[in-house]
Each structure stands twice: as structure tokens, then as C-alpha cells.
Short mmCIF file of all heavy atoms in Angstrom, two decimals:
data_model
loop_
_atom_site.label_atom_id
_atom_site.label_comp_id
_atom_site.label_asym_id
_atom_site.label_seq_id
_atom_site.Cartn_x
_atom_site.Cartn_y
_atom_site.Cartn_z
N LEU A 1 116.90 90.85 107.00
CA LEU A 1 117.12 91.02 105.59
C LEU A 1 115.88 90.51 104.83
O LEU A 1 115.47 91.08 103.82
CB LEU A 1 118.36 90.35 105.14
CG LEU A 1 119.68 91.07 105.74
CD1 LEU A 1 120.86 90.23 105.36
CD2 LEU A 1 119.80 92.41 105.22
N LYS A 2 115.37 89.30 105.16
CA LYS A 2 114.24 88.82 104.47
C LYS A 2 112.95 89.53 104.83
O LYS A 2 112.01 89.61 104.04
CB LYS A 2 114.12 87.31 104.66
CG LYS A 2 113.66 86.86 106.09
CD LYS A 2 113.50 85.34 106.12
CE LYS A 2 113.11 84.89 107.54
NZ LYS A 2 112.93 83.39 107.55
N LEU A 3 112.91 90.14 106.00
CA LEU A 3 111.76 90.98 106.36
C LEU A 3 111.70 92.25 105.61
O LEU A 3 110.68 92.71 105.11
CB LEU A 3 111.72 91.32 107.87
CG LEU A 3 111.49 90.09 108.84
CD1 LEU A 3 111.60 90.58 110.23
CD2 LEU A 3 110.16 89.46 108.59
N VAL A 4 112.86 92.88 105.42
CA VAL A 4 112.93 94.18 104.78
C VAL A 4 112.70 94.11 103.25
O VAL A 4 112.31 95.10 102.65
CB VAL A 4 114.26 94.87 105.09
CG1 VAL A 4 115.37 94.36 104.23
CG2 VAL A 4 114.16 96.37 105.02
N THR A 5 112.84 92.93 102.73
CA THR A 5 112.62 92.75 101.24
C THR A 5 111.25 92.24 100.99
O THR A 5 110.90 91.92 99.85
CB THR A 5 113.68 91.91 100.61
OG1 THR A 5 113.79 90.66 101.34
CG2 THR A 5 114.98 92.59 100.58
N ASN A 6 110.39 92.03 101.99
CA ASN A 6 109.07 91.53 101.90
C ASN A 6 108.03 92.72 101.83
O ASN A 6 108.19 93.66 102.63
CB ASN A 6 108.68 90.59 103.04
CG ASN A 6 107.31 90.04 102.95
OD1 ASN A 6 106.32 90.71 103.43
ND2 ASN A 6 107.13 88.81 102.46
N GLN A 7 107.08 92.73 100.94
CA GLN A 7 106.20 93.88 100.83
C GLN A 7 105.52 94.20 102.11
O GLN A 7 105.48 95.37 102.42
CB GLN A 7 105.20 93.55 99.68
CG GLN A 7 104.21 94.70 99.47
CD GLN A 7 103.18 94.41 98.33
OE1 GLN A 7 103.17 93.37 97.83
NE2 GLN A 7 102.43 95.39 97.99
N ILE A 8 104.93 93.18 102.82
CA ILE A 8 104.20 93.50 104.01
C ILE A 8 105.14 93.79 105.15
O ILE A 8 104.94 94.75 105.90
CB ILE A 8 103.28 92.29 104.35
CG1 ILE A 8 102.20 92.14 103.23
CG2 ILE A 8 102.58 92.48 105.68
CD1 ILE A 8 101.37 90.86 103.41
N CYS A 9 106.14 92.96 105.42
CA CYS A 9 107.04 93.06 106.50
C CYS A 9 107.93 94.28 106.46
O CYS A 9 108.36 94.79 107.43
CB CYS A 9 107.85 91.82 106.67
SG CYS A 9 106.84 90.32 106.96
N SER A 10 108.14 94.81 105.26
CA SER A 10 108.99 96.02 105.13
C SER A 10 108.29 97.22 105.83
O SER A 10 109.08 98.09 106.32
CB SER A 10 109.29 96.30 103.66
OG SER A 10 108.14 96.63 102.96
N LYS A 11 107.06 97.24 105.73
CA LYS A 11 106.33 98.38 106.43
C LYS A 11 106.52 98.24 108.00
O LYS A 11 106.70 99.23 108.71
CB LYS A 11 104.79 98.26 106.13
CG LYS A 11 104.49 98.59 104.71
CD LYS A 11 103.00 98.66 104.51
CE LYS A 11 102.31 97.36 104.58
NZ LYS A 11 100.86 97.41 104.33
N LEU A 12 106.56 96.98 108.51
CA LEU A 12 106.86 96.83 109.94
C LEU A 12 108.24 97.22 110.22
O LEU A 12 108.49 97.96 111.29
CB LEU A 12 106.66 95.31 110.26
CG LEU A 12 107.18 94.91 111.67
CD1 LEU A 12 106.37 95.54 112.70
CD2 LEU A 12 107.10 93.36 111.82
N VAL A 13 109.24 96.83 109.41
CA VAL A 13 110.67 97.24 109.70
C VAL A 13 110.77 98.75 109.73
O VAL A 13 111.47 99.29 110.61
CB VAL A 13 111.60 96.63 108.65
CG1 VAL A 13 113.02 97.10 108.85
CG2 VAL A 13 111.54 95.07 108.69
N GLU A 14 110.04 99.43 108.80
CA GLU A 14 110.19 100.92 108.81
C GLU A 14 109.57 101.52 110.10
O GLU A 14 110.11 102.45 110.64
CB GLU A 14 109.48 101.44 107.51
CG GLU A 14 109.75 102.94 107.32
CD GLU A 14 109.39 103.40 105.95
OE1 GLU A 14 108.89 102.60 105.16
OE2 GLU A 14 109.55 104.55 105.65
N ARG A 15 108.46 100.96 110.52
CA ARG A 15 107.86 101.43 111.77
C ARG A 15 108.80 101.12 112.97
O ARG A 15 108.91 101.99 113.89
CB ARG A 15 106.50 100.80 112.05
CG ARG A 15 105.44 101.15 110.99
CD ARG A 15 104.09 100.63 111.43
NE ARG A 15 103.13 100.62 110.34
CZ ARG A 15 102.44 101.73 109.98
NH1 ARG A 15 102.57 102.87 110.60
NH2 ARG A 15 101.63 101.65 108.98
N LEU A 16 109.41 100.04 112.99
CA LEU A 16 110.37 99.74 114.00
C LEU A 16 111.58 100.64 114.01
O LEU A 16 112.03 101.12 115.10
CB LEU A 16 110.86 98.24 113.93
CG LEU A 16 109.87 97.14 114.13
CD1 LEU A 16 110.50 95.80 113.79
CD2 LEU A 16 109.39 97.14 115.55
N ILE A 17 112.03 101.04 112.83
CA ILE A 17 113.12 102.00 112.77
C ILE A 17 112.70 103.35 113.32
O ILE A 17 113.49 104.05 114.03
CB ILE A 17 113.63 102.09 111.25
CG1 ILE A 17 114.31 100.81 110.81
CG2 ILE A 17 114.52 103.29 111.13
CD1 ILE A 17 114.56 100.81 109.31
N LEU A 18 111.47 103.78 112.99
CA LEU A 18 110.99 105.09 113.51
C LEU A 18 110.88 105.14 114.99
O LEU A 18 111.08 106.13 115.61
CB LEU A 18 109.62 105.36 112.85
CG LEU A 18 109.67 105.73 111.40
CD1 LEU A 18 108.30 105.77 110.78
CD2 LEU A 18 110.30 107.14 111.18
N HIS A 19 110.57 103.93 115.71
CA HIS A 19 110.40 103.91 117.14
C HIS A 19 111.54 103.39 117.89
O HIS A 19 111.51 103.32 119.10
CB HIS A 19 109.11 103.05 117.47
CG HIS A 19 107.83 103.64 116.90
ND1 HIS A 19 107.35 104.92 117.28
CD2 HIS A 19 106.96 103.14 116.00
CE1 HIS A 19 106.22 105.13 116.65
NE2 HIS A 19 105.95 104.07 115.84
N ALA A 20 112.57 102.93 117.22
CA ALA A 20 113.72 102.28 117.79
C ALA A 20 114.52 103.28 118.68
O ALA A 20 114.62 104.46 118.34
CB ALA A 20 114.65 101.67 116.73
N THR A 21 115.15 102.77 119.76
CA THR A 21 116.16 103.49 120.56
C THR A 21 117.38 103.70 119.81
O THR A 21 117.62 103.09 118.78
CB THR A 21 116.32 102.88 121.92
OG1 THR A 21 116.95 101.65 121.66
CG2 THR A 21 114.99 102.68 122.66
N ASP A 22 118.31 104.49 120.28
CA ASP A 22 119.62 104.68 119.66
C ASP A 22 120.38 103.36 119.48
O ASP A 22 120.96 103.08 118.39
CB ASP A 22 120.45 105.72 120.46
CG ASP A 22 119.85 107.07 120.47
OD1 ASP A 22 118.90 107.31 119.73
OD2 ASP A 22 120.30 107.91 121.31
N GLU A 23 120.40 102.52 120.55
CA GLU A 23 121.12 101.25 120.47
C GLU A 23 120.47 100.28 119.51
O GLU A 23 121.12 99.59 118.74
CB GLU A 23 121.22 100.64 121.86
CG GLU A 23 122.18 101.41 122.84
CD GLU A 23 123.53 101.54 122.24
OE1 GLU A 23 124.08 100.53 121.65
OE2 GLU A 23 124.16 102.63 122.29
N GLN A 24 119.11 100.30 119.48
CA GLN A 24 118.38 99.43 118.59
C GLN A 24 118.62 99.82 117.17
O GLN A 24 118.70 99.05 116.23
CB GLN A 24 116.88 99.47 118.93
CG GLN A 24 116.50 98.79 120.16
CD GLN A 24 115.09 99.04 120.65
OE1 GLN A 24 114.47 99.97 120.18
NE2 GLN A 24 114.61 98.27 121.55
N LEU A 25 118.72 101.17 116.91
CA LEU A 25 119.00 101.65 115.61
C LEU A 25 120.34 101.22 115.09
O LEU A 25 120.46 100.79 113.94
CB LEU A 25 119.01 103.20 115.68
CG LEU A 25 118.78 103.96 114.31
CD1 LEU A 25 117.37 103.76 113.81
CD2 LEU A 25 119.05 105.43 114.54
N LYS A 26 121.35 101.23 115.94
CA LYS A 26 122.62 100.72 115.54
C LYS A 26 122.60 99.23 115.27
O LYS A 26 123.25 98.76 114.35
CB LYS A 26 123.69 101.06 116.64
CG LYS A 26 124.05 102.52 116.77
CD LYS A 26 125.08 102.73 117.82
CE LYS A 26 125.51 104.20 117.94
NZ LYS A 26 126.54 104.41 118.89
N THR A 27 121.82 98.49 116.05
CA THR A 27 121.72 97.02 115.79
C THR A 27 121.16 96.70 114.43
O THR A 27 121.67 95.89 113.70
CB THR A 27 120.85 96.42 116.86
OG1 THR A 27 121.43 96.66 118.21
CG2 THR A 27 120.79 94.92 116.72
N ILE A 28 120.08 97.53 114.02
CA ILE A 28 119.55 97.34 112.76
C ILE A 28 120.51 97.73 111.65
O ILE A 28 120.63 97.06 110.61
CB ILE A 28 118.21 98.16 112.63
CG1 ILE A 28 117.20 97.71 113.62
CG2 ILE A 28 117.65 98.12 111.20
CD1 ILE A 28 115.97 98.62 113.72
N PHE A 29 121.27 98.77 111.86
CA PHE A 29 122.21 99.32 110.92
C PHE A 29 123.28 98.18 110.64
O PHE A 29 123.65 97.86 109.50
CB PHE A 29 122.87 100.59 111.44
CG PHE A 29 123.40 101.44 110.36
CD1 PHE A 29 122.70 102.57 109.88
CD2 PHE A 29 124.58 101.19 109.69
CE1 PHE A 29 123.17 103.37 108.89
CE2 PHE A 29 125.11 101.94 108.69
CZ PHE A 29 124.39 103.06 108.26
N LYS A 30 123.70 97.60 111.76
CA LYS A 30 124.77 96.52 111.63
C LYS A 30 124.19 95.31 110.91
O LYS A 30 124.99 94.62 110.13
CB LYS A 30 125.23 96.15 113.04
CG LYS A 30 126.08 97.23 113.74
CD LYS A 30 126.37 96.82 115.18
CE LYS A 30 127.13 97.94 115.89
NZ LYS A 30 127.43 97.63 117.33
N ALA A 31 122.90 95.02 111.10
CA ALA A 31 122.29 93.87 110.45
C ALA A 31 122.27 94.04 108.87
O ALA A 31 122.30 93.11 108.16
CB ALA A 31 120.86 93.66 110.94
N PHE A 32 122.26 95.33 108.43
CA PHE A 32 122.22 95.60 106.99
C PHE A 32 123.58 95.72 106.43
O PHE A 32 123.72 95.80 105.16
CB PHE A 32 121.47 96.92 106.77
CG PHE A 32 119.99 96.90 107.04
CD1 PHE A 32 119.21 98.00 106.98
CD2 PHE A 32 119.34 95.68 107.28
CE1 PHE A 32 117.84 98.00 107.19
CE2 PHE A 32 118.00 95.63 107.54
CZ PHE A 32 117.19 96.75 107.48
N ASN A 33 124.63 95.78 107.26
CA ASN A 33 126.04 95.90 106.79
C ASN A 33 126.33 94.83 105.68
O ASN A 33 125.96 93.71 105.81
CB ASN A 33 127.04 95.81 107.87
CG ASN A 33 127.28 97.18 108.56
OD1 ASN A 33 127.06 98.25 107.87
ND2 ASN A 33 127.82 97.25 109.68
N ASN A 34 127.08 95.29 104.68
CA ASN A 34 127.51 94.47 103.52
C ASN A 34 126.41 94.09 102.62
O ASN A 34 126.56 93.32 101.70
CB ASN A 34 128.28 93.18 104.05
CG ASN A 34 129.46 93.54 104.81
OD1 ASN A 34 130.31 94.46 104.49
ND2 ASN A 34 129.73 92.87 105.91
N HIS A 35 125.14 94.59 102.86
CA HIS A 35 124.05 94.26 102.04
C HIS A 35 123.31 95.47 101.63
O HIS A 35 122.24 95.40 101.01
CB HIS A 35 123.06 93.29 102.74
CG HIS A 35 123.66 92.01 103.15
ND1 HIS A 35 124.03 90.99 102.20
CD2 HIS A 35 124.06 91.51 104.34
CE1 HIS A 35 124.52 89.94 102.79
NE2 HIS A 35 124.56 90.24 104.17
N PHE A 36 123.83 96.62 101.96
CA PHE A 36 123.19 97.92 101.62
C PHE A 36 122.95 98.12 100.14
O PHE A 36 121.89 98.66 99.77
CB PHE A 36 124.00 99.07 102.23
CG PHE A 36 123.71 99.43 103.71
CD1 PHE A 36 124.57 99.21 104.67
CD2 PHE A 36 122.40 99.92 104.04
CE1 PHE A 36 124.33 99.53 105.98
CE2 PHE A 36 122.07 100.21 105.30
CZ PHE A 36 123.04 100.05 106.35
N VAL A 37 123.91 97.70 99.31
CA VAL A 37 123.78 97.96 97.90
C VAL A 37 122.56 97.23 97.37
O VAL A 37 121.77 97.72 96.57
CB VAL A 37 125.04 97.56 97.18
CG1 VAL A 37 124.86 97.70 95.70
CG2 VAL A 37 126.24 98.37 97.62
N SER A 38 122.43 96.01 97.78
CA SER A 38 121.22 95.19 97.34
C SER A 38 119.99 95.83 97.82
O SER A 38 118.93 95.92 97.13
CB SER A 38 121.34 93.78 97.90
OG SER A 38 122.33 93.11 97.27
N LEU A 39 119.97 96.23 99.06
CA LEU A 39 118.75 96.82 99.71
C LEU A 39 118.28 98.16 99.01
O LEU A 39 117.15 98.36 98.86
CB LEU A 39 118.95 97.08 101.22
CG LEU A 39 119.21 95.77 101.99
CD1 LEU A 39 119.46 96.19 103.45
CD2 LEU A 39 118.16 94.75 101.83
N ILE A 40 119.25 99.05 98.75
CA ILE A 40 118.87 100.32 98.19
C ILE A 40 118.45 100.21 96.70
O ILE A 40 117.83 101.16 96.17
CB ILE A 40 120.02 101.36 98.29
CG1 ILE A 40 121.22 100.94 97.46
CG2 ILE A 40 120.32 101.65 99.70
CD1 ILE A 40 122.36 101.93 97.56
N HIS A 41 118.67 99.08 96.06
CA HIS A 41 118.17 98.79 94.73
C HIS A 41 116.81 98.10 94.73
O HIS A 41 116.31 97.77 93.69
CB HIS A 41 119.18 98.05 93.89
CG HIS A 41 120.37 98.85 93.38
ND1 HIS A 41 121.43 99.11 94.28
CD2 HIS A 41 120.70 99.42 92.23
CE1 HIS A 41 122.31 99.88 93.59
NE2 HIS A 41 121.93 100.02 92.36
N HIS A 42 116.34 97.78 95.89
CA HIS A 42 115.10 96.98 96.05
C HIS A 42 113.89 97.87 96.26
O HIS A 42 113.95 98.89 96.87
CB HIS A 42 115.23 96.00 97.25
CG HIS A 42 114.22 94.97 97.27
ND1 HIS A 42 112.95 95.19 97.90
CD2 HIS A 42 114.20 93.73 96.87
CE1 HIS A 42 112.20 94.10 97.82
NE2 HIS A 42 112.94 93.21 97.12
N LYS A 43 112.77 97.48 95.65
CA LYS A 43 111.57 98.23 95.65
C LYS A 43 111.05 98.64 97.09
O LYS A 43 110.68 99.80 97.34
CB LYS A 43 110.47 97.56 94.85
CG LYS A 43 109.13 98.34 94.77
CD LYS A 43 108.14 97.57 93.86
CE LYS A 43 106.88 98.39 93.73
NZ LYS A 43 105.81 97.70 92.92
N TYR A 44 111.08 97.63 97.99
CA TYR A 44 110.55 97.87 99.33
C TYR A 44 111.62 98.22 100.31
O TYR A 44 111.46 99.06 101.17
CB TYR A 44 109.81 96.63 99.79
CG TYR A 44 108.73 96.16 98.80
CD1 TYR A 44 108.73 94.88 98.22
CD2 TYR A 44 107.69 97.02 98.44
CE1 TYR A 44 107.81 94.52 97.32
CE2 TYR A 44 106.68 96.61 97.55
CZ TYR A 44 106.79 95.34 97.01
OH TYR A 44 105.82 94.97 96.04
N ALA A 45 112.80 97.44 100.23
CA ALA A 45 113.88 97.74 101.21
C ALA A 45 114.48 99.14 101.12
O ALA A 45 114.88 99.70 102.14
CB ALA A 45 114.91 96.70 101.01
N SER A 46 114.43 99.76 99.89
CA SER A 46 115.04 100.99 99.75
C SER A 46 114.36 102.12 100.70
O SER A 46 115.04 103.01 101.21
CB SER A 46 114.91 101.54 98.34
OG SER A 46 113.58 101.53 97.85
N HIS A 47 113.01 102.01 100.87
CA HIS A 47 112.32 102.96 101.70
C HIS A 47 112.81 102.79 103.16
O HIS A 47 112.92 103.78 103.86
CB HIS A 47 110.85 102.76 101.66
CG HIS A 47 110.27 103.05 100.37
ND1 HIS A 47 110.09 104.39 99.85
CD2 HIS A 47 109.84 102.26 99.28
CE1 HIS A 47 109.57 104.41 98.59
NE2 HIS A 47 109.42 103.12 98.31
N CYS A 48 112.99 101.58 103.57
CA CYS A 48 113.45 101.31 104.96
C CYS A 48 114.87 101.86 105.17
O CYS A 48 115.17 102.46 106.20
CB CYS A 48 113.44 99.78 105.30
SG CYS A 48 111.82 99.05 105.26
#
């Protein structure tokens, strides 16, 4: 969560999402649970 809201690290998170396996994708999705509303209103996290 703190990586995805950081200007530099959000680019890394997006690259990780693009290259993640199916199980890794679900793990990332679960990490964002209950915080999606904050993330989609954020300048950098919304792209991820």
C-alpha cells in the first residue's frame, strides 16, 4: 500500500502486476482489499 502510493515505487508495482503469475495477481488483489476506494482516488495508485 505504501509502495503503490509512492510516485517512483508505483511504477514498480505496475510492472510487477504486468509480469505476475495468476496466484501472485490474486495476492496483490487481496493486499488492496478494503483500501480500493482510497487507491482509485490517488494520483499514482489509480493507474496500478
Side-chain angles (χ1 to χ4, degrees):
L1 295 174
K2 67 177 182 180
L3 291 177
V4 80
T5 51
N6 179 278
Q7 181 178 5
I8 296 174
C9 297
S10 63
K11 294 187 289 184
L12 170 65
V13 174
E14 191 165 1
R15 293 189 196 278
L16 292 173
I17 292 171
L18 287 168
H19 296 298
T21 64
D22 296 346
E23 291 304 318
Q24 290 169 344
L25 199 68
K26 289 184 179 180
T27 302
I28 297 171
F29 206 101
K30 291 174 184 176
F32 290 173
N33 269 343
N34 299 319
H35 300 289
F36 273 113
V37 176
S38 293
L39 297 180
I40 63 180
H41 285 78
H42 192 274
K43 181 176 183 179
Y44 307 119
S46 59
H47 294 286
C48 297

